[in-house]
Amino acid sequence: MTKKVDIDWANLSFSYMKTDFRYVAKWKDGKWDEGKLVEDNMLTISEASTALHYGQQCFEGLKAYRTKDNKIQLFRPDENAKRLNRSCDKLLMPNFPVERFIDACMQVVKANEAYVPPYGTGATLYLRPFLIGVGDNIGVKPAPEYLFCVFCVPVGPYFKGGLTPVNFVISESFDRAAPYGTGGAKVGGNYAASLEAHKVAVDNGFADCIYLDPKTHTKIEEVGAANFFGITHDNKFITPKSPSILPSITKYSLLHIAKEYMNLETSEGDVLVEDLDQFKEAGACGTAAVITPIGGIEYRGKLHVFHSETEVGPLTRELYDTLYGIQFGDVKAPEGWIYEVK
Ligand SMILES: *Cc1c(COP(=O)(O)O)cnc(C)c1O
């Protein structure tokens, strides 16, 4: 009786497709309703919603993976739930309980089970939870009502032909966030602020731009919408630490893997642009691609190449294979990282 969908799994990209069900919960008069799955993919909200005018909204991104024995699993959804609530705190929006967040994701995956790509294709079901301020309001203040929703789309693997390094350019004319702004929250405003910088980088032949710390412009913060890590010549895994960086769950997972699975020393701290020579490998990390190996970084007209512009370095490869293996159930996960969808 299981529904079948006609999708060419091998050629999926990262684009929107309407799936059958999405989850919607409403907050009004100080509380969330019980929430439900709906078929309609359109939202009807007040034209005066704070999400539309004042950027009062935040979102998350996570994936459901099909394993070799045909189970479906989520990777650390509790971390997404907690991060969503930290974003909500920052924008004065009500929290959505962690247990309910995980349950909503599970419900959406189950209801759209036919869209979870088969094991071995590298494709996954991408989940997009979001929380927005709605209701009638015109002054600059928190909304009177909120919606929490989760929808899903099947997406292809980021790298179709295997891990390929790409080049990035350091942005000195754009910041994605202010020193004490919303950089650490997963909010749409940061993305609006990044569109132009991204376009300029791409127009100049780079995959994306690298943002420096907004205060001194001397330290690496983010690689487009992904976190940065580097591996030093003496095998240390180093990643920047700053309140204006979005704390990537992939990044913290890689930190753990570097330490516990690969016996590398790890640290979070300043990564000065002038110290790029300390790294033999570097990468960008996030849910979408897991790891994007960084071939080179251009700074003030000079391209700094790490391992190679064409081949992924061995430690970056091992980090990638281990995390990818954990996510698809082929490598033993640390306690509590995997939630089976039943
Ligand atoms: C979502 C996001 C990331 C990656 O976070 P993951 O939890 O690893 O997916 C990195 N940087 C920014 C700006 C983001 O919005």
Side-chain angles (χ1 to χ4, degrees):
M1 260 238 338
T2 333
K3 175 184 162 161
K4 287 259 185 295
V5 293
D6 186 21
I7 293 175
D8 180 5
W9 303 112
N11 290 304
L12 274 176
S13 57
F14 194 84
S15 44
Y16 181 78
M17 170 190 304
K18 182 178 186 262
T19 50
D20 296 342
F21 294 96
R22 67 277 302 102
Y23 178 92
V24 183
K26 286 192 183 127
W27 187 93
K28 207 180 164 178
D29 301 326
K31 58 179 191 303
W32 290 104
D33 69 10
E34 64 275 26
K36 58 175 188 289
L37 292 174
V38 298
E39 289 185 55
D40 190 358
N41 68 335
M42 295 291 158
L43 293 174
T44 302
I45 58 173
S46 168
E47 62 186 356
S49 296
T50 58
L52 300 177
H53 301 268
Y54 305 131
Q56 203 190 18
Q57 64 85 246
C58 62
F59 67 97
E60 278 300 324
L62 68 160
K63 290 171 168 179
Y65 306 81
R66 200 184 285 277
T67 66
K68 201 181 268 173
D69 51 3
N70 218 23
K71 288 182 181 145
I72 300 172
Q73 59 189 34
L74 300 176
F75 178 72
R76 310 189 78 180
D78 53 321
E79 292 296 327
N80 293 94
K82 287 186 261 177
R83 189 171 65 189
L84 180 94
N85 286 335
R86 291 197 302 271
S87 300
C88 287
D89 289 344
K90 187 82 184 160
L91 301 192
L92 304 185
M93 303 197 284
N95 283 14
F96 195 73
V98 172
E99 291 314 315
R100 290 197 59 190
F101 177 104
I102 297 170
D103 176 60
C105 290
M106 298 268 186
Q107 285 191 43
V108 169
V109 174
K110 272 219 77 72
N112 294 290
E113 197 172 335
Y115 294 91
V116 184
Y119 173 84
T121 56
T124 53
L125 188 71
Y126 181 76
L127 301 178
R128 171 54 60 86
F130 61 102
L131 200 152
I132 60 176
V134 297
D136 298 334
N137 170 73
I138 194 67
V140 181
K141 58 177 181 292
E145 295 168 23
Y146 295 86
L147 290 179
F148 170 76
C149 312
V150 184
F151 68 85
C152 66
V153 286
V155 298
Y158 203 83
F159 294 103
K160 292 231 158 63
L163 276 181
T164 332
V166 289
N167 290 342
F168 293 88
V169 59
I170 287 182
S171 160
E172 291 196 272
S173 9
F174 298 98
D175 291 321
R176 65 174 277 281
Y180 300 103
T182 55
K186 207 166 177 77
V187 301
N190 296 338
Y191 279 75
S194 75
L195 294 174
E196 189 188 3
H198 174 76
K199 182 178 187 303
V200 170
V202 170
D203 287 350
N204 286 304
F206 296 94
D208 209 334
C209 64
I210 289 184
Y211 295 101
L212 299 180
D213 70 293
K215 205 165 182 177
T216 70
H217 271 201
T218 57
K219 298 173 261 182
I220 288 186
E221 293 226 320
E222 294 227 41
V223 186
N227 279 188
F228 176 89
F229 70 86
I231 298 164
T232 62
H233 294 285
D234 56 352
N235 293 332
K236 272 196 202 99
F237 178 103
I238 299 183
T239 180
K241 191 173 179 69
S242 150
S244 46
I245 293 178
L246 192 282
S248 155
I249 296 162
T250 312
K251 194 262 292 290
Y252 284 107
S253 304
L254 291 173
L255 261 173
H256 182 89
I257 288 166
K259 197 164 163 207
E260 304 298 332
Y261 287 62
M262 293 167 64
N263 271 318
L264 305 181
E265 252 186 76
T266 59
S267 74
E268 280 184 275
D270 291 346
V271 175
L272 293 165
V273 180
E274 61 179 38
D275 285 347
L276 286 181
D277 280 343
Q278 68 178 309
F279 299 119
K280 60 178 175 182
E281 296 182 32
C285 59
T287 296
V290 185
I291 291 176
T292 305
I294 301 179
I297 295 179
E298 187 175 289
Y299 181 58
R300 299 193 171 159
K302 187 174 162 284
L303 186 71
H304 180 100
V305 176
F306 297 97
H307 179 74
S308 149
E309 274 189 87
T310 51
E311 263 170 57
V312 57
L315 293 172
T316 305
R317 152 84 56 200
E318 193 176 339
L319 284 164
Y320 178 87
D321 286 345
T322 307
L323 182 50
Y324 187 92
I326 288 172
Q327 291 172 330
F328 281 97
D330 294 327
V331 172
K332 190 170 167 13
E335 176 105 23
W337 280 20
I338 297 296
Y339 286 63
E340 192 183 339
V341 180
K342 285 184 184 148

PDB file of all heavy atoms in Angstrom, residues 59-61 80 83 176 183 185-187 190-191 222-227 245-251 285-288, ligand 1:
ATOM      1  N   PHE A  59      14.708  30.061  11.046  1.00  0.00           N
ATOM      2  CA  PHE A  59      14.479  28.761  10.415  1.00  0.00           C
ATOM      3  C   PHE A  59      15.563  27.771  10.789  1.00  0.00           C
ATOM      4  O   PHE A  59      16.549  28.119  11.445  1.00  0.00           O
ATOM      5  CB  PHE A  59      14.376  28.910   8.885  1.00  0.00           C
ATOM      6  CG  PHE A  59      15.658  29.319   8.201  1.00  0.00           C
ATOM      7  CD1 PHE A  59      16.483  28.380   7.632  1.00  0.00           C
ATOM      8  CD2 PHE A  59      16.036  30.656   8.124  1.00  0.00           C
ATOM      9  CE1 PHE A  59      17.666  28.744   6.988  1.00  0.00           C
ATOM     10  CE2 PHE A  59      17.211  31.033   7.487  1.00  0.00           C
ATOM     11  CZ  PHE A  59      18.024  30.080   6.923  1.00  0.00           C
ATOM     12  N   GLU A  60      15.363  26.531  10.370  1.00  0.00           N
ATOM     13  CA  GLU A  60      16.336  25.468  10.578  1.00  0.00           C
ATOM     14  C   GLU A  60      16.442  24.641   9.307  1.00  0.00           C
ATOM     15  O   GLU A  60      15.608  24.772   8.400  1.00  0.00           O
ATOM     16  CB  GLU A  60      15.917  24.563  11.752  1.00  0.00           C
ATOM     17  CG  GLU A  60      16.281  25.126  13.119  1.00  0.00           C
ATOM     18  CD  GLU A  60      17.779  25.338  13.258  1.00  0.00           C
ATOM     19  OE1 GLU A  60      18.565  24.530  12.735  1.00  0.00           O
ATOM     20  OE2 GLU A  60      18.165  26.348  13.873  1.00  0.00           O
ATOM     21  N   GLY A  61      17.446  23.805   9.232  1.00  0.00           N
ATOM     22  CA  GLY A  61      17.602  22.895   8.100  1.00  0.00           C
ATOM     23  C   GLY A  61      18.215  21.611   8.599  1.00  0.00           C
ATOM     24  O   GLY A  61      19.232  21.645   9.297  1.00  0.00           O
ATOM     25  N   ASN A  80      18.956  21.053  16.431  1.00  0.00           N
ATOM     26  CA  ASN A  80      18.228  22.043  15.622  1.00  0.00           C
ATOM     27  C   ASN A  80      17.141  22.704  16.443  1.00  0.00           C
ATOM     28  O   ASN A  80      16.910  23.913  16.344  1.00  0.00           O
ATOM     29  CB  ASN A  80      17.610  21.387  14.381  1.00  0.00           C
ATOM     30  CG  ASN A  80      18.660  20.901  13.402  1.00  0.00           C
ATOM     31  OD1 ASN A  80      19.049  19.741  13.438  1.00  0.00           O
ATOM     32  ND2 ASN A  80      19.149  21.768  12.550  1.00  0.00           N
ATOM     33  N   ARG A  83      18.669  25.175  18.810  1.00  0.00           N
ATOM     34  CA  ARG A  83      19.166  26.355  18.096  1.00  0.00           C
ATOM     35  C   ARG A  83      18.003  27.241  17.632  1.00  0.00           C
ATOM     36  O   ARG A  83      18.083  28.468  17.686  1.00  0.00           O
ATOM     37  CB  ARG A  83      20.041  25.930  16.916  1.00  0.00           C
ATOM     38  CG  ARG A  83      20.759  27.102  16.258  1.00  0.00           C
ATOM     39  CD  ARG A  83      21.781  26.645  15.245  1.00  0.00           C
ATOM     40  NE  ARG A  83      21.152  25.970  14.126  1.00  0.00           N
ATOM     41  CZ  ARG A  83      21.825  25.315  13.159  1.00  0.00           C
ATOM     42  NH1 ARG A  83      23.147  25.244  13.203  1.00  0.00           N
ATOM     43  NH2 ARG A  83      21.190  24.735  12.171  1.00  0.00           N
ATOM     44  N   ARG A 176      28.283  39.988   6.854  1.00  0.00           N
ATOM     45  CA  ARG A 176      26.956  39.371   6.910  1.00  0.00           C
ATOM     46  C   ARG A 176      26.249  39.707   8.219  1.00  0.00           C
ATOM     47  O   ARG A 176      25.036  39.606   8.324  1.00  0.00           O
ATOM     48  CB  ARG A 176      27.018  37.844   6.714  1.00  0.00           C
ATOM     49  CG  ARG A 176      27.735  37.080   7.783  1.00  0.00           C
ATOM     50  CD  ARG A 176      27.628  35.572   7.603  1.00  0.00           C
ATOM     51  NE  ARG A 176      26.396  35.025   8.126  1.00  0.00           N
ATOM     52  CZ  ARG A 176      26.158  34.790   9.412  1.00  0.00           C
ATOM     53  NH1 ARG A 176      27.065  35.101  10.332  1.00  0.00           N
ATOM     54  NH2 ARG A 176      25.032  34.260   9.800  1.00  0.00           N
ATOM     55  N   GLY A 183      24.232  37.598  13.951  1.00  0.00           N
ATOM     56  CA  GLY A 183      25.017  36.598  13.222  1.00  0.00           C
ATOM     57  C   GLY A 183      24.943  35.200  13.813  1.00  0.00           C
ATOM     58  O   GLY A 183      25.030  34.209  13.096  1.00  0.00           O
ATOM     59  N   ALA A 185      22.365  33.838  15.172  1.00  0.00           N
ATOM     60  CA  ALA A 185      21.004  33.287  15.097  1.00  0.00           C
ATOM     61  C   ALA A 185      20.701  32.926  13.643  1.00  0.00           C
ATOM     62  O   ALA A 185      21.159  33.607  12.719  1.00  0.00           O
ATOM     63  CB  ALA A 185      19.993  34.313  15.608  1.00  0.00           C
ATOM     64  N   LYS A 186      19.921  31.860  13.451  1.00  0.00           N
ATOM     65  CA  LYS A 186      19.605  31.444  12.083  1.00  0.00           C
ATOM     66  C   LYS A 186      18.359  32.192  11.621  1.00  0.00           C
ATOM     67  O   LYS A 186      17.246  31.672  11.649  1.00  0.00           O
ATOM     68  CB  LYS A 186      19.402  29.924  12.030  1.00  0.00           C
ATOM     69  CG  LYS A 186      19.716  29.338  10.660  1.00  0.00           C
ATOM     70  CD  LYS A 186      19.841  27.827  10.721  1.00  0.00           C
ATOM     71  CE  LYS A 186      20.071  27.249   9.357  1.00  0.00           C
ATOM     72  NZ  LYS A 186      21.452  27.427   8.875  1.00  0.00           N
ATOM     73  N   VAL A 187      18.576  33.446  11.224  1.00  0.00           N
ATOM     74  CA  VAL A 187      17.466  34.312  10.843  1.00  0.00           C
ATOM     75  C   VAL A 187      17.627  34.779   9.392  1.00  0.00           C
ATOM     76  O   VAL A 187      18.747  34.941   8.907  1.00  0.00           O
ATOM     77  CB  VAL A 187      17.361  35.544  11.780  1.00  0.00           C
ATOM     78  CG1 VAL A 187      17.173  35.100  13.225  1.00  0.00           C
ATOM     79  CG2 VAL A 187      18.582  36.453  11.679  1.00  0.00           C
ATOM     80  N   ASN A 190      20.041  37.705   8.066  1.00  0.00           N
ATOM     81  CA  ASN A 190      21.454  37.458   7.745  1.00  0.00           C
ATOM     82  C   ASN A 190      21.600  37.022   6.293  1.00  0.00           C
ATOM     83  O   ASN A 190      22.592  37.327   5.637  1.00  0.00           O
ATOM     84  CB  ASN A 190      22.034  36.359   8.635  1.00  0.00           C
ATOM     85  CG  ASN A 190      22.051  36.730  10.110  1.00  0.00           C
ATOM     86  OD1 ASN A 190      22.015  37.911  10.452  1.00  0.00           O
ATOM     87  ND2 ASN A 190      22.085  35.737  10.972  1.00  0.00           N
ATOM     88  N   TYR A 191      20.611  36.275   5.827  1.00  0.00           N
ATOM     89  CA  TYR A 191      20.670  35.789   4.445  1.00  0.00           C
ATOM     90  C   TYR A 191      20.393  36.919   3.458  1.00  0.00           C
ATOM     91  O   TYR A 191      21.050  37.020   2.423  1.00  0.00           O
ATOM     92  CB  TYR A 191      19.695  34.626   4.254  1.00  0.00           C
ATOM     93  CG  TYR A 191      20.297  33.329   4.748  1.00  0.00           C
ATOM     94  CD1 TYR A 191      20.402  33.055   6.096  1.00  0.00           C
ATOM     95  CD2 TYR A 191      20.818  32.408   3.851  1.00  0.00           C
ATOM     96  CE1 TYR A 191      20.994  31.891   6.558  1.00  0.00           C
ATOM     97  CE2 TYR A 191      21.411  31.232   4.295  1.00  0.00           C
ATOM     98  CZ  TYR A 191      21.490  30.980   5.648  1.00  0.00           C
ATOM     99  OH  TYR A 191      22.089  29.833   6.086  1.00  0.00           O
ATOM    100  N   GLU A 222      32.814  33.208   8.545  1.00  0.00           N
ATOM    101  CA  GLU A 222      32.018  32.198   7.842  1.00  0.00           C
ATOM    102  C   GLU A 222      32.369  32.130   6.362  1.00  0.00           C
ATOM    103  O   GLU A 222      32.810  33.103   5.764  1.00  0.00           O
ATOM    104  CB  GLU A 222      30.527  32.509   7.987  1.00  0.00           C
ATOM    105  CG  GLU A 222      30.057  32.388   9.422  1.00  0.00           C
ATOM    106  CD  GLU A 222      28.774  31.601   9.567  1.00  0.00           C
ATOM    107  OE1 GLU A 222      28.590  30.573   8.900  1.00  0.00           O
ATOM    108  OE2 GLU A 222      27.948  32.041  10.360  1.00  0.00           O
ATOM    109  N   VAL A 223      32.107  30.963   5.793  1.00  0.00           N
ATOM    110  CA  VAL A 223      32.327  30.747   4.369  1.00  0.00           C
ATOM    111  C   VAL A 223      30.945  30.715   3.723  1.00  0.00           C
ATOM    112  O   VAL A 223      30.259  29.697   3.778  1.00  0.00           O
ATOM    113  CB  VAL A 223      33.043  29.406   4.126  1.00  0.00           C
ATOM    114  CG1 VAL A 223      33.400  29.258   2.662  1.00  0.00           C
ATOM    115  CG2 VAL A 223      34.284  29.291   4.998  1.00  0.00           C
ATOM    116  N   GLY A 224      30.518  31.841   3.160  1.00  0.00           N
ATOM    117  CA  GLY A 224      29.154  31.925   2.661  1.00  0.00           C
ATOM    118  C   GLY A 224      28.218  31.620   3.821  1.00  0.00           C
ATOM    119  O   GLY A 224      28.304  32.246   4.873  1.00  0.00           O
ATOM    120  N   ALA A 225      27.332  30.627   3.646  1.00  0.00           N
ATOM    121  CA  ALA A 225      26.451  30.224   4.746  1.00  0.00           C
ATOM    122  C   ALA A 225      26.913  28.896   5.326  1.00  0.00           C
ATOM    123  O   ALA A 225      26.124  27.994   5.586  1.00  0.00           O
ATOM    124  CB  ALA A 225      25.013  30.139   4.273  1.00  0.00           C
ATOM    125  N   ALA A 226      28.226  28.774   5.522  1.00  0.00           N
ATOM    126  CA  ALA A 226      28.784  27.564   6.133  1.00  0.00           C
ATOM    127  C   ALA A 226      29.898  27.979   7.080  1.00  0.00           C
ATOM    128  O   ALA A 226      30.414  29.087   6.987  1.00  0.00           O
ATOM    129  CB  ALA A 226      29.319  26.632   5.050  1.00  0.00           C
ATOM    130  N   ASN A 227      30.261  27.097   8.001  1.00  0.00           N
ATOM    131  CA  ASN A 227      31.343  27.381   8.946  1.00  0.00           C
ATOM    132  C   ASN A 227      32.684  26.964   8.342  1.00  0.00           C
ATOM    133  O   ASN A 227      32.749  26.121   7.444  1.00  0.00           O
ATOM    134  CB  ASN A 227      31.126  26.628  10.272  1.00  0.00           C
ATOM    135  CG  ASN A 227      30.146  27.326  11.220  1.00  0.00           C
ATOM    136  OD1 ASN A 227      29.989  26.917  12.359  1.00  0.00           O
ATOM    137  ND2 ASN A 227      29.473  28.382  10.757  1.00  0.00           N
ATOM    138  N   ILE A 245      29.230  34.207  14.525  1.00  0.00           N
ATOM    139  CA  ILE A 245      29.191  33.012  13.671  1.00  0.00           C
ATOM    140  C   ILE A 245      27.974  32.179  14.057  1.00  0.00           C
ATOM    141  O   ILE A 245      27.666  32.030  15.241  1.00  0.00           O
ATOM    142  CB  ILE A 245      30.457  32.148  13.873  1.00  0.00           C
ATOM    143  CG1 ILE A 245      31.692  32.882  13.357  1.00  0.00           C
ATOM    144  CG2 ILE A 245      30.313  30.798  13.175  1.00  0.00           C
ATOM    145  CD1 ILE A 245      32.985  32.118  13.563  1.00  0.00           C
ATOM    146  N   LEU A 246      27.293  31.627  13.058  1.00  0.00           N
ATOM    147  CA  LEU A 246      26.171  30.725  13.341  1.00  0.00           C
ATOM    148  C   LEU A 246      26.751  29.368  13.768  1.00  0.00           C
ATOM    149  O   LEU A 246      27.508  28.767  13.015  1.00  0.00           O
ATOM    150  CB  LEU A 246      25.337  30.586  12.061  1.00  0.00           C
ATOM    151  CG  LEU A 246      23.958  29.928  12.101  1.00  0.00           C
ATOM    152  CD1 LEU A 246      24.039  28.417  12.158  1.00  0.00           C
ATOM    153  CD2 LEU A 246      23.100  30.448  13.232  1.00  0.00           C
ATOM    154  N   PRO A 247      26.432  28.911  14.968  1.00  0.00           N
ATOM    155  CA  PRO A 247      27.012  27.644  15.435  1.00  0.00           C
ATOM    156  C   PRO A 247      26.480  26.444  14.655  1.00  0.00           C
ATOM    157  O   PRO A 247      25.373  25.972  14.897  1.00  0.00           O
ATOM    158  CB  PRO A 247      26.616  27.568  16.913  1.00  0.00           C
ATOM    159  CG  PRO A 247      25.670  28.680  17.164  1.00  0.00           C
ATOM    160  CD  PRO A 247      25.574  29.556  15.967  1.00  0.00           C
ATOM    161  N   SER A 248      27.287  25.981  13.722  1.00  0.00           N
ATOM    162  CA  SER A 248      26.895  24.888  12.835  1.00  0.00           C
ATOM    163  C   SER A 248      26.918  23.547  13.573  1.00  0.00           C
ATOM    164  O   SER A 248      27.909  23.194  14.214  1.00  0.00           O
ATOM    165  CB  SER A 248      27.868  24.849  11.653  1.00  0.00           C
ATOM    166  OG  SER A 248      27.936  23.566  11.079  1.00  0.00           O
ATOM    167  N   ILE A 249      25.840  22.804  13.456  1.00  0.00           N
ATOM    168  CA  ILE A 249      25.766  21.481  14.083  1.00  0.00           C
ATOM    169  C   ILE A 249      26.744  20.535  13.384  1.00  0.00           C
ATOM    170  O   ILE A 249      27.388  19.703  14.019  1.00  0.00           O
ATOM    171  CB  ILE A 249      24.317  20.966  14.033  1.00  0.00           C
ATOM    172  CG1 ILE A 249      23.424  21.897  14.872  1.00  0.00           C
ATOM    173  CG2 ILE A 249      24.215  19.523  14.541  1.00  0.00           C
ATOM    174  CD1 ILE A 249      21.941  21.782  14.578  1.00  0.00           C
ATOM    175  N   THR A 250      26.891  20.708  12.078  1.00  0.00           N
ATOM    176  CA  THR A 250      27.874  19.917  11.330  1.00  0.00           C
ATOM    177  C   THR A 250      29.274  20.177  11.875  1.00  0.00           C
ATOM    178  O   THR A 250      30.060  19.258  12.082  1.00  0.00           O
ATOM    179  CB  THR A 250      27.836  20.302   9.836  1.00  0.00           C
ATOM    180  OG1 THR A 250      26.479  20.312   9.400  1.00  0.00           O
ATOM    181  CG2 THR A 250      28.640  19.340   8.993  1.00  0.00           C
ATOM    182  N   LYS A 251      29.581  21.442  12.123  1.00  0.00           N
ATOM    183  CA  LYS A 251      30.905  21.826  12.623  1.00  0.00           C
ATOM    184  C   LYS A 251      31.199  21.183  13.973  1.00  0.00           C
ATOM    185  O   LYS A 251      32.259  20.609  14.202  1.00  0.00           O
ATOM    186  CB  LYS A 251      30.999  23.355  12.713  1.00  0.00           C
ATOM    187  CG  LYS A 251      32.393  23.906  12.891  1.00  0.00           C
ATOM    188  CD  LYS A 251      32.744  24.240  14.323  1.00  0.00           C
ATOM    189  CE  LYS A 251      31.977  25.400  14.893  1.00  0.00           C
ATOM    190  NZ  LYS A 251      32.330  26.698  14.335  1.00  0.00           N
ATOM    191  N   CYS A 285      31.696  23.812   6.180  1.00  0.00           N
ATOM    192  CA  CYS A 285      30.799  22.721   6.579  1.00  0.00           C
ATOM    193  C   CYS A 285      29.406  23.211   6.933  1.00  0.00           C
ATOM    194  O   CYS A 285      29.219  24.317   7.430  1.00  0.00           O
ATOM    195  CB  CYS A 285      31.410  21.933   7.722  1.00  0.00           C
ATOM    196  SG  CYS A 285      31.748  22.916   9.181  1.00  0.00           S
ATOM    197  N   GLY A 286      28.426  22.362   6.629  1.00  0.00           N
ATOM    198  CA  GLY A 286      27.026  22.652   6.919  1.00  0.00           C
ATOM    199  C   GLY A 286      26.183  21.461   6.477  1.00  0.00           C
ATOM    200  O   GLY A 286      26.695  20.554   5.808  1.00  0.00           O
ATOM    201  N   THR A 287      24.921  21.458   6.864  1.00  0.00           N
ATOM    202  CA  THR A 287      24.041  20.327   6.566  1.00  0.00           C
ATOM    203  C   THR A 287      23.936  20.024   5.064  1.00  0.00           C
ATOM    204  O   THR A 287      23.928  18.871   4.656  1.00  0.00           O
ATOM    205  CB  THR A 287      22.627  20.622   7.120  1.00  0.00           C
ATOM    206  OG1 THR A 287      22.740  20.708   8.537  1.00  0.00           O
ATOM    207  CG2 THR A 287      21.635  19.533   6.756  1.00  0.00           C
ATOM    208  N   ALA A 288      23.866  21.084   4.239  1.00  0.00           N
ATOM    209  CA  ALA A 288      23.632  20.889   2.810  1.00  0.00           C
ATOM    210  C   ALA A 288      24.708  20.025   2.164  1.00  0.00           C
ATOM    211  O   ALA A 288      24.402  19.035   1.497  1.00  0.00           O
ATOM    212  CB  ALA A 288      23.535  22.233   2.101  1.00  0.00           C
TER     213      ALA A 288
HETATM  214  C1  LIG B   1      22.681  26.898   8.838  1.00  0.00           C
HETATM  215  C2  LIG B   1      23.971  27.632   8.754  1.00  0.00           C
HETATM  216  C3  LIG B   1      25.221  26.982   8.860  1.00  0.00           C
HETATM  217  C4  LIG B   1      25.354  25.483   8.950  1.00  0.00           C
HETATM  218  O1  LIG B   1      24.772  24.942  10.083  1.00  0.00           O
HETATM  219  P1  LIG B   1      24.464  23.379  10.150  1.00  0.00           P
HETATM  220  O2  LIG B   1      23.786  23.215  11.457  1.00  0.00           O
HETATM  221  O3  LIG B   1      25.765  22.673  10.090  1.00  0.00           O
HETATM  222  O4  LIG B   1      23.617  23.058   8.973  1.00  0.00           O
HETATM  223  C5  LIG B   1      26.370  27.751   8.829  1.00  0.00           C
HETATM  224  N1  LIG B   1      26.325  29.094   8.689  1.00  0.00           N
HETATM  225  C6  LIG B   1      25.138  29.749   8.567  1.00  0.00           C
HETATM  226  C7  LIG B   1      25.143  31.218   8.396  1.00  0.00           C
HETATM  227  C8  LIG B   1      23.944  29.041   8.600  1.00  0.00           C
HETATM  228  O5  LIG B   1      22.785  29.698   8.472  1.00  0.00           O
END
